[in-house]
Amino acid sequence: MKLFITGIGTDVGKTIASAIITEALEADYWKPIQAGDLNDSDSHKIESYVSNSKTVIHPNSYALTTPASPHLAAELDQITISLDQIQEPQTQNHLVVEGAGGVFVPLNDTDCVIDLIQPDYKVIVVSRHYLGSINHTLLTIEALKNRNLAIAGIVFNGNENKATESIILNKTGIPYIGRIQQEPYFDKNVVREYADLFQEKMINL
C-alpha cells in the first residue's frame, strides 16, 4: 500500500501525521521534495519519532536549502525541479509519501504537488482547525476528486471542533481516520500511542 500524506496548507501537521501512520504500518517513508533546514528535515523528524525496526527512510529526490515554496527554493539553488527526476523508491514494504504544503504548491512553472500523486496512491488529507480551514479542506478534497485520485480519509489535527469536523465529513463523505490532539510535545512514546489508535483503520484501508 502506498499512502500520500497531504495537507490543506503549510504547518497543519503533515509530518507528525506521517510519523504516526508510518509507525502504525511499520511502513517506509519518503519525502520527495524537502525545502528548508536540511539538518533538521522532515525525514530527520520521522527518524526521531518512529520506534519500529522495519521502517526505512528513503532519501529526498530534491533537498533544497531555503524554507520556501519548492519552485522558489529550487530557483535559489539554481536548479529546476523535474518530475522525471523524482523516482519512487523500490520497496516491498508499505510506503508513506509526504507532500510539501498543500496540493497546489508549485514545483516549477507547470507542475504542483498534486502532480506527484500517482494513480496507485491513496491520499490522506491532514486538516488543522483554524478560521478558514473548512474552505481549505473542501477545496483540497474537491481538487483531489477532480483528478480522480483515491482519498483514503482525513486526519484532523488539533482539539475537537465538532462544528468544523461534522460539516467537512458530511459534505465530502470521506472516511474519518482519527484526530491528533493538541499535545504539549511529541516523542517516540506519544507517536506510538497514536499509532496504536490508528493502526486498525490504517491496516483496513
Side-chain angles (χ1 to χ4, degrees), residues 3-12 14 31 33 69-71 83 97-108 110-118 121-127 130 135-154 174:
L3 296 172
F4 191 96
I5 315 302
T6 193
I8 62 169
T10 303
D11 295 328
V12 297
K14 289 190 309 301
K31 177 139 185 166
I33 302 170
S69 176
H71 81 290
L83 294 184
V97 184
E98 183 181 350
V103 292
F104 284 122
V105 165
L107 306 180
N108 51 42
T110 56
D111 302 308
C112 295
V113 166
I114 197 169
D115 297 302
L116 296 173
I117 305 174
Q118 301 302 306
Y121 289 2
K122 296 178 180 179
V123 182
I124 293 177
V125 176
V126 180
S127 177
Y130 56 81
N135 181 54
H136 294 161
T137 305
L138 296 180
L139 285 170
T140 298
I141 293 167
E142 186 73 15
L144 294 166
K145 288 181 174 180
N146 283 342
R147 296 280 187 106
N148 293 314
L149 295 166
I151 305 174
I154 188 166
I174 67 172

Side-chain angles (χ1 to χ4, degrees), residues 31-196:
K31 177 139 185 166
I33 302 170
Q34 172 69 45
D37 187 351
L38 300 182
N39 294 314
D40 186 28
S41 68
D42 291 337
S43 295
H44 287 101
K45 291 171 184 172
I46 297 293
E47 187 174 21
S48 73
Y49 286 143
V50 300
S51 53
N52 78 84
S53 59
K54 190 175 178 181
T55 293
V56 173
I57 297 172
H58 297 277
N60 311 117
S61 297
Y62 287 94
L64 310 169
T65 56
T66 304
S69 176
H71 81 290
L72 175 59
E75 181 182 329
L76 294 172
D77 282 357
Q78 298 184 321
I79 61 172
T80 300
I81 293 173
S82 170
L83 294 184
D84 293 338
Q85 299 300 312
I86 300 176
Q87 300 295 322
E88 178 188 298
Q90 297 300 306
T91 178
Q92 298 302 309
N93 195 8
H94 298 301
L95 180 64
V96 172
V97 184
E98 183 181 350
V103 292
F104 284 122
V105 165
L107 306 180
N108 51 42
D109 288 344
T110 56
D111 302 308
C112 295
V113 166
I114 197 169
D115 297 302
L116 296 173
I117 305 174
Q118 301 302 306
D120 61 337
Y121 289 2
K122 296 178 180 179
V123 182
I124 293 177
V125 176
V126 180
S127 177
R128 177 185 282 279
H129 301 314
Y130 56 81
L131 188 61
S133 68
I134 295 173
N135 181 54
H136 294 161
T137 305
L138 296 180
L139 285 170
T140 298
I141 293 167
E142 186 73 15
L144 294 166
K145 288 181 174 180
N146 283 342
R147 296 280 187 106
N148 293 314
L149 295 166
I151 305 174
I154 188 166
V155 171
F156 291 110
N157 187 17
N159 295 332
E160 184 177 21
N161 185 320
K162 289 183 179 179
T164 294
E165 293 171 22
S166 62
I167 196 71
I168 289 170
L169 294 173
N170 288 338
K171 279 186 170 292
T172 63
I174 67 172
Y176 167 69
I177 292 174
R179 180 186 304 100
I180 304 167
Q181 299 287 356
Q182 193 70 40
E183 301 288 350
Y185 64 90
F186 285 96
D187 61 11
K188 289 179 187 289
N189 292 329
V190 177
V191 167
R192 182 69 248 176
E193 289 175 6
Y194 276 101
D196 290 341

